[in-house]
Amino acid sequence: YYDCRPYFAAALTAAFECADLPVKVVYPFASLGKSAVLMIAKTHGVLIPDTFSCYTPNHGQPCGVCASCAERQRAIQETAP
């Protein structure tokens, strides 16, 4: 995904610098797959059903069919007890 790439974070940081805003974009989970991120979230008490990852949500709900939704569903199945 474009927003998980180093050039995206660098460009966004540069845009903030152009506006004289001291913001640096970091993305600590960019190198991890969704399964690893879900495991980290679970260890920190994140309620997974209250989250979603979707590029085409409809009225605040995930579409359930895009690549991001499909990848998330696979990760949930992989990390199920």
Side-chain angles (χ1 to χ4, degrees):
Y1 302 105
Y2 66 90
D3 58 345
C4 296
R5 305 240 160 76
Y7 67 82
F8 182 86
L12 198 50
T13 297
F16 283 119
E17 288 173 356
C18 287
D20 290 325
L21 297 171
V23 176
K24 179 179 181 184
V25 177
V26 295
Y27 48 108
F29 300 121
S31 65
L32 301 176
K34 285 200 187 296
S35 294
V37 173
L38 277 173
M39 292 302 292
I40 292 168
K42 288 178 180 181
T43 63
H44 289 281
V46 173
L47 300 175
I48 303 306
D50 292 344
T51 69
F52 70 88
S53 178
C54 178
Y55 278 90
T56 56
N58 186 12
H59 301 291
Q61 297 298 313
C63 72
V65 295
C66 72
S68 185
C69 284
E71 187 178 349
R72 181 177 188 273
Q73 190 56 41
R74 277 192 303 275
I76 288 171
Q77 291 171 350
E78 290 173 1
T79 60

